[in-house]
Amino acid sequence: MTVFLYLWVLLTLMNQALVIKKPLCKIQDQFILNGLYKEGDVILGATFEISFKTVVPELFICVSNSPDYQVFQWAQTMVFAIEEINRNTSLLPNITLGYRIYDNCVNLPVALRAAVSLIGGLDDTISDYNCEGLPPIVAFVGDPTSSSSIAISRILGLFRVPMVSYFATCLCLSNKKEYPSFFRTIPSDAFQVTAMMEIIKYFKWTWVGLIASDNDYGQYAMRNFNEEMKAIGCLAFSETIPKIMTKENLLRIVSVIKESTAKVIVAFSTGLEMSLFMKEMIHQNITDRQWIASEGWSTSTLLAARDNFNILGGTLGIAVHSGQMKGLTNFLLQVRPDLDPNNNLVMQFWERMFACKFVESGVNDSGSIISDSKKCTGLESLEGTDTAYSDVSNSRISYNIYKAVYSLAHALHNLMACEHGKGPFENKSCANIANLQPWQLLQYLKNVDFINQLGERVAFDENGDALAIYDIVNWQLDKSGTVNIKTIGVFDKAAIFGKELFLQENSMFWKFDNGRCPQSICSASCLPGTRKAIRKGQPVCCFDCIPCANGEISISIVKSGQTERHSIECVQCSDDYWSNLEKTWCVLKEVEFLSYEDSMGIALTTLSLSGTCLSICVLTIFIYYRNTPVVKANNSELSFLLLISLTLCFVCALCFIGKPSHVTCMLRHVMFGISFVLCISCILVKTIVVIMAFKATLPGNNIMKWFGAAQQRGTVFFFTFIQSLICIIWLSTAPPFPVRNSKNINTKIILECDIGSLTGFSCLLGYIGLLACICFLLAFLARNLPDTFNEARFITFSMLIFCAVWITFIPAYISSPGKYTVAVEIFAILASSFGVLLSIFAPKCYIILLKPEENNKRCVTVPTDGRTPQLLFCCNARISSGSRTPKKCWLVNGWKQNGVYDL
């Protein structure tokens, strides 16, 4: 009985144990994925686009029999880096890193399934025991594509699982709010576009075409490139390569490229998409295009083939910075297949490399039994092969994978080295490597900063982006006929401003006939002296060049050391400057004024001095012959005063010549106004005297006593005083002043005198005109008086000349440019002065000097009443003795008491 009791208790305990171990959860479905696996203390997950050709049924099961050699090298590089870290005693001591790598089959759903499998584990059932210890993976390396990285990162970000991509470049992934756990060792597209912009600016391409993939990588890059291109040029076209490339879409895009005048085309795409695209380009023989490749296909061995060289030869590409990892080549050649299903990618790679099949794989794709001749032994040697797998000369992506693994290793190492009380977590605690959670590793990954074995710094910025550095590559053909992707420069964002781009131009290859860099512009550069006029309805890069207007210039614009010959607008020169003939530079305007050194100035000065000398000579003659009848008959005192005023008129003309100053500006107008009023006043008084003398009665009429010498002098003084008063008021309120006139003649600066007050100047000229008109009117009325020694006709003629000169002066003055304005004014002064001088004094001088006998003519009449003979100087012609006394005689000095006229 006791035995049965013990047996019953034992069975009960065993039943309870079985109940405890009963699975709590069961995986709904198991994914069939190709991969590589190795156990370790800490597992890192990764995805690669290993399969080039895939068959994806409805259940998204990836069947791949042709892994890509180069991408398989990338996967093995991750294995190489992990093995190297495990051998390193100073990095992660006593910790062995493991890995689980999956093929995403170039398919987003497969990539998501692989990521879910990695973070969820591979066991069919999940019990309570599975929730203890480390998670299936602590970090994720990948995904290569931006679209897959975006999708995977949204899932991993929920659990704060660190994700380090080696090939996803989309700018959107730099957004830490949406992708908090995303990092990358490849620069983002923002830096890639910047590098492309620097190349385009370097070669002065302003008319560029753009094509991009229809995914996040292509569309974000297209948007960013379009914004950046606006600052330096224009897009000739912008086309998207659809995900499903139909013949119609392909022909349409190729037609756009063929018809465009843009010689440079930028392509954000992958090698696979471009390969389909290039076939049609080759078919239509479109060879006159310069391609700029994004890092997605700039080093693609699929495209860098001899058959594509006529189209893609000379391509400039933005390539990920490469690094030579010591020991990688030997590691790649030592890879061997095994029968572990977790490492089936090695078997698939082996079967494709040596064109055989492992017996364990069963049957071939067609279902038939594999013949003995096609069996793989696993003992084949990779050393004799020459494929992209063993070629590490351009280990660009491999180097990024290498840096990604080491970044995670250094983050783990820093986590292990944490001292209690100095940690980054709550209460300054540290993480436990035995119970590590991905979010804890994420905290350390943000602060990773180290120098790797190649001597390069590895770190992430606040957006999780790596330090931006690119290689600039050029597709060339070597002597053997193989396309060589040669590094000919570098773009380093961290370099000195303006020195980020370095190119070896002498090492570059251009496929064009002239062997030179092509031009890609919509319109030729506008030369200095012209400006751009945008064509209506066309991009701003398509324009016509229009010469700048006079006084405007356009010069070359210098940007970042490069000379841009375009100028959108012409710049107006300042007031003191004018454009040169080429309209490229503002030169100082010529300063113009009527100078004494000028030929015109010399001529006018000569005329002025000649008139002055002539006036003085006439005055000297009149003084010398002051007692002769001709001088006396013309009122010698007024004649002297008139000659003095004419001398001043000739002299004032000199004030208008030379550089204007405050003194000369005031002096020229004052002297001109007063001297001319004095001259006209003398002539006016002389006219009045003549009229009054001839209108007076015969002897016994005393009308002349009311307008004798004193009254004549007073009248002249009064008229002159009024002009002087006008000048004083003018100079006191708004005097003339020198100005620099640059408006009348655009090419010159005219130094002239501003009148200051228009009213003052108008009063001065108006007063002169008023006196001249009165004088002319009175002289005109007296023109028919007896003409022997009668000045009325001479005064009329002189005033006619005076008025004609000054009336003609007004339009000539207004229409004359520059210094000719002053010359016209001087000429008017001299002409009117010479007119008065010659008209009034030339006949008298002629009689005095050349006809002295006529200067002694007298009219003598003997009255019949026996009185003393009266001496008369008659106005008629010669009068014989005994003739009757004329009715009118010129009585200049009035009657004497003795009845004799004092001439």
Side-chain angles (χ1 to χ4, degrees):
M1 187 66 181
T2 303
V3 174
F4 286 104
L5 181 62
Y6 279 113
L7 182 60
W8 179 80
V9 171
L10 180 61
L11 291 175
T12 301
L13 291 175
M14 291 178 64
N15 185 42
Q16 291 179 350
L18 291 174
V19 171
I20 294 174
K21 293 183 180 180
K22 184 178 180 180
L24 299 178
C25 301
K26 185 176 182 180
I27 295 178
Q28 184 176 4
D29 193 8
Q30 185 175 6
F31 304 146
I32 301 175
L33 298 168
N34 300 317
L36 301 173
Y37 175 75
K38 180 180 180 180
E39 188 62 54
D41 298 325
V42 178
I43 304 296
L44 302 180
T47 56
F48 291 88
E49 292 180 331
I50 297 177
S51 298
F52 180 72
K53 296 180 181 179
T54 60
V55 178
V56 186
E58 294 181 359
L59 297 178
F60 297 105
I61 300 174
C62 177
V63 179
S64 172
N65 291 320
S66 55
D68 183 84
Y69 290 147
Q70 187 175 37
V71 181
F72 189 71
Q73 181 203 94
W74 299 351
Q76 289 297 330
T77 301
M78 179 175 176
V79 177
F80 166 75
I82 291 175
E83 296 292 347
E84 191 176 72
I85 293 170
N86 289 336
R87 293 193 302 268
N88 191 340
T89 58
S90 60
L91 183 63
L92 292 178
N94 302 321
I95 294 295
T96 301
L97 290 180
Y99 56 84
R100 184 170 290 280
I101 300 172
Y102 283 145
D103 179 10
N104 67 13
C105 296
V106 199
N107 186 276
L108 178 58
V110 175
L112 285 174
R113 284 197 168 194
V116 171
S117 297
L118 289 172
I119 62 175
L122 299 176
D123 295 334
D124 291 339
T125 59
I126 301 175
S127 64
D128 289 344
Y129 296 109
N130 295 109
C131 298
E132 298 178 358
L134 292 171
I137 62 169
V138 296
F140 184 87
V141 178
D143 190 272
T145 64
S146 295
S147 297
S148 297
S149 294
I150 290 172
I152 295 172
S153 183
R154 291 189 185 277
I155 297 175
L156 299 185
L158 296 174
F159 305 100
R160 294 298 190 269
V161 178
M163 176 179 178
V164 184
S165 178
Y166 50 87
F167 206 26
T169 60
C170 180
L171 177 61
C172 58
L173 289 166
S174 296
N175 188 342
K176 285 293 121 185
K177 292 183 179 180
E178 295 190 22
Y179 312 101
S181 65
F182 181 82
F183 297 81
R184 52 184 160 196
T185 54
I186 187 172
S188 74
D189 286 336
F191 301 109
Q192 180 181 191
V193 170
T194 301
M196 287 185 174
M197 287 296 109
E198 291 297 320
I199 294 175
I200 291 172
K201 287 192 292 185
Y202 185 88
F203 294 109
K204 301 177 183 178
W205 293 325
T206 59
W207 190 235
V208 177
L210 175 64
I211 59 175
S213 301
D214 188 14
N215 52 31
D216 293 305
Y217 166 72
Q219 295 306 301
Y220 274 98
M222 176 182 285
R223 184 190 312 168
N224 194 20
F225 185 89
N226 192 13
E227 291 297 322
E228 294 285 339
M229 190 64 193
K230 291 178 181 178
I232 62 172
C234 307
L235 285 180
F237 59 85
S238 179
E239 295 291 333
T240 298
I241 302 175
K243 292 180 179 179
I244 301 177
M245 179 66 78
T246 63
K247 186 68 173 179
E248 181 181 355
N249 289 334
L250 182 61
L251 291 176
R252 182 186 59 82
I253 297 175
V254 174
S255 177
V256 170
I257 295 174
K258 188 175 183 179
E259 294 175 1
S260 175
T261 58
K263 298 299 181 182
V264 175
I265 303 175
V266 177
F268 291 95
S269 182
T270 63
L272 177 60
E273 292 172 320
M274 290 298 294
S275 64
L276 299 175
F277 188 69
M278 284 300 115
K279 290 180 180 179
E280 185 62 28
M281 296 286 290
I282 295 173
H283 177 70
Q284 297 194 25
N285 194 30
I286 305 175
T287 61
D288 59 339
R289 297 295 187 272
Q290 173 64 44
W291 291 87
I292 299 181
S294 66
E295 43 76 27
W297 64 280
S298 61
T299 57
S300 172
T301 55
L302 176 66
L303 289 174
R306 184 67 182 84
D307 295 339
N308 298 332
F309 193 77
N310 289 338
I311 306 296
L312 297 176
T315 294
L316 288 176
I318 306 297
V320 180
H321 186 56
S322 64
Q324 299 299 322
M325 292 152 285
K326 186 177 180 181
L328 177 61
T329 302
N330 292 334
F331 177 84
L332 295 174
L333 297 178
Q334 292 173 3
V335 171
R336 289 290 181 273
D338 57 38
L339 301 180
D340 189 346
N342 290 319
N343 289 313
N344 58 350
L345 274 178
V346 179
M347 297 177 63
Q348 293 175 8
F349 162 74
W350 204 267
E351 288 176 343
R352 183 191 177 194
M353 175 67 72
F354 298 103
C356 62
K357 283 285 184 177
F358 287 96
V359 176
E360 290 76 6
S361 62
V363 297
N364 59 13
D365 294 338
S366 61
S368 60
I369 303 298
I370 303 172
S371 61
D372 294 340
S373 60
K374 294 184 178 180
K375 291 182 180 180
C376 296
T377 63
L379 300 178
E380 293 86 356
S381 176
L382 291 172
E383 294 185 0
T385 60
D386 183 15
T387 62
Y389 169 74
S390 58
D391 182 12
V392 296
S393 58
N394 289 314
S395 52
R396 303 181 186 278
I397 305 303
S398 298
Y399 184 48
N400 278 343
I401 297 168
Y402 185 80
K403 290 190 293 184
V405 174
Y406 264 89
S407 297
L408 293 170
H410 276 272
L412 285 168
H413 183 84
N414 294 338
L415 183 145
M416 291 177 57
C418 175
E419 299 180 9
H420 184 71
K422 298 181 180 180
F425 307 113
E426 186 178 1
N427 298 324
K428 297 184 178 181
S429 61
C430 297
N432 184 5
I433 190 67
N435 193 27
L436 173 65
Q437 297 302 311
W439 63 267
Q440 295 173 322
L441 179 61
L442 176 65
Q443 185 66 33
Y444 282 92
L445 187 60
K446 294 178 181 178
N447 301 317
V448 162
D449 192 348
F450 64 95
I451 304 298
N452 62 14
Q453 287 85 338
L454 279 69
E456 293 187 8
R457 181 188 174 197
V458 180
F460 302 104
D461 61 16
E462 64 277 6
N463 297 321
D465 294 325
L467 302 178
I469 182 170
Y470 287 103
D471 290 339
I472 310 300
V473 297
N474 183 222
W475 290 20
Q476 304 179 7
L477 203 64
D478 59 20
K479 296 180 179 179
S480 63
T482 303
V483 178
N484 180 24
I485 302 176
K486 182 179 180 181
T487 300
I488 48 90
V490 66
F491 174 82
D492 188 357
K493 185 63 178 177
I496 302 173
F497 179 77
K499 302 292 184 181
E500 296 92 345
L501 179 66
F502 171 74
L503 292 176
Q504 296 175 334
E505 288 193 66
N506 56 351
S507 300
M508 298 178 66
F509 168 76
W510 305 103
K511 67 176 180 180
F512 300 92
D513 295 337
N514 56 11
R516 297 180 181 178
C517 173
Q519 283 191 339
S520 187
I521 54 176
C522 182
S523 298
S525 299
C526 288
L527 297 175
T530 61
R531 66 175 179 85
K532 294 197 300 183
I534 306 301
R535 297 173 185 169
K536 188 176 181 180
Q538 297 189 23
V540 295
C541 294
C542 301
F543 52 84
D544 297 315
C545 297
I546 299 177
C548 293
N550 292 329
E552 296 180 344
I553 63 167
S554 67
I555 57 178
S556 300
I557 304 172
V558 179
K559 293 182 179 180
S560 303
Q562 301 288 333
T563 300
E564 299 286 344
R565 302 185 71 183
H566 303 290
S567 183
I568 298 177
E569 295 180 352
C570 294
V571 180
Q572 181 70 44
C573 295
S574 59
D575 291 340
D576 291 345
Y577 290 84
W578 193 250
S579 58
N580 58 0
L581 294 177
E582 294 78 16
K583 309 294 177 57
T584 58
W585 200 253
C586 287
V587 295
L588 193 63
K589 289 182 179 179
E590 178 186 353
V591 178
E592 183 180 82
F593 60 91
L594 189 61
S595 65
Y596 289 104
E597 292 80 13
D598 193 357
S599 57
M600 185 179 297
I602 294 173
L604 293 175
T605 301
T606 303
L607 287 176
S608 177
L609 294 177
S610 299
T612 303
C613 295
L614 186 59
S615 299
I616 294 174
C617 290
V618 173
L619 178 60
T620 303
I621 292 172
F622 266 58
I623 293 174
Y624 185 77
Y625 293 98
R626 62 184 177 279
N627 295 320
T628 61
V630 171
V631 177
K632 286 185 176 184
N634 287 277
N635 197 330
S636 59
E637 185 174 341
L638 288 177
S639 296
F640 296 156
L641 191 58
L642 177 58
L643 287 170
I644 292 173
S645 66
L646 286 173
T647 303
L648 294 176
C649 289
F650 284 114
V651 172
C652 80
L654 297 176
C655 297
F656 290 83
I657 304 175
K659 186 177 182 180
S661 64
H662 287 278
V663 175
T664 56
C665 285
M666 291 187 292
L667 185 61
R668 66 171 58 171
H669 291 96
V670 171
M671 192 172 178
F672 161 72
I674 294 176
S675 60
F676 265 80
V677 166
L678 179 60
C679 176
I680 301 300
S681 299
C682 293
I683 297 174
L684 179 59
V685 171
K686 286 174 72 69
T687 306
I688 295 173
V689 169
V690 170
I691 293 175
M692 292 183 68
F694 279 99
K695 295 299 180 181
T697 60
L698 289 172
N701 193 330
N702 293 325
I703 190 174
M704 288 302 298
K705 70 179 181 179
W706 301 106
F707 199 70
Q711 288 79 9
Q712 296 170 20
R713 288 191 294 268
T715 302
V716 172
F717 174 77
F718 176 75
F719 288 154
T720 308
F721 173 75
I722 294 176
Q723 183 74 305
S724 301
L725 187 62
I726 293 173
C727 291
I728 291 172
I729 296 174
W730 180 19
L731 296 180
S732 300
T733 55
F737 57 91
V739 294
R740 298 167 64 90
N741 185 355
S742 59
K743 297 180 180 179
N744 292 352
I745 302 179
N746 293 327
T747 59
K748 297 179 181 179
I749 298 176
I750 304 170
L751 298 183
E752 60 184 13
C753 291
D754 190 284
I755 60 176
S757 173
L758 180 61
T759 303
F761 186 64
S762 300
C763 291
L764 182 141
L765 291 180
Y767 184 63
I768 296 175
L770 177 63
L771 293 181
C773 291
I774 295 173
C775 183
F776 174 72
L777 182 61
L778 293 178
F780 181 76
L781 294 176
R783 70 189 186 282
N784 293 324
L785 293 176
D787 59 357
T788 301
F789 302 110
N790 180 15
E791 289 187 299
R793 291 186 179 180
F794 299 143
I795 292 173
T796 302
F797 187 67
S798 66
M799 287 297 100
L800 183 61
I801 295 175
F802 185 91
C803 293
V805 167
W806 285 101
I807 291 174
T808 309
F809 159 78
I810 294 174
Y813 181 85
I814 295 174
S815 61
S816 298
K819 63 183 179 181
Y820 298 101
T821 304
V822 181
V824 168
E825 190 172 0
I826 296 173
F827 180 80
I829 294 172
L830 296 179
S832 57
S833 299
F834 273 111
V836 172
L837 178 64
L838 296 178
S839 298
I840 295 177
F841 293 100
K844 299 174 180 59
C845 291
Y846 175 76
I847 293 174
I848 293 172
L849 298 177
L850 301 178
K851 299 289 184 177
E853 67 278 5
E854 295 184 4
N855 196 14
N856 295 320
K857 298 298 181 181
R858 294 186 176 184
C859 274
V860 180
T861 61
V862 181
T864 59
D865 56 0
R867 290 186 299 167
T868 304
Q870 297 178 358
L871 183 62
L872 297 176
F873 188 73
C874 300
C875 297
N876 290 336
R878 298 180 181 180
I879 301 175
S880 60
S881 177
S883 64
R884 296 183 61 185
T885 303
K887 294 182 180 180
K888 300 296 180 182
C889 294
W890 200 346
L891 309 178
V892 178
N893 293 322
W895 292 93
K896 294 289 187 180
Q897 293 296 327
N898 56 6
V900 178
Y901 289 93
D902 185 3
L903 298 181

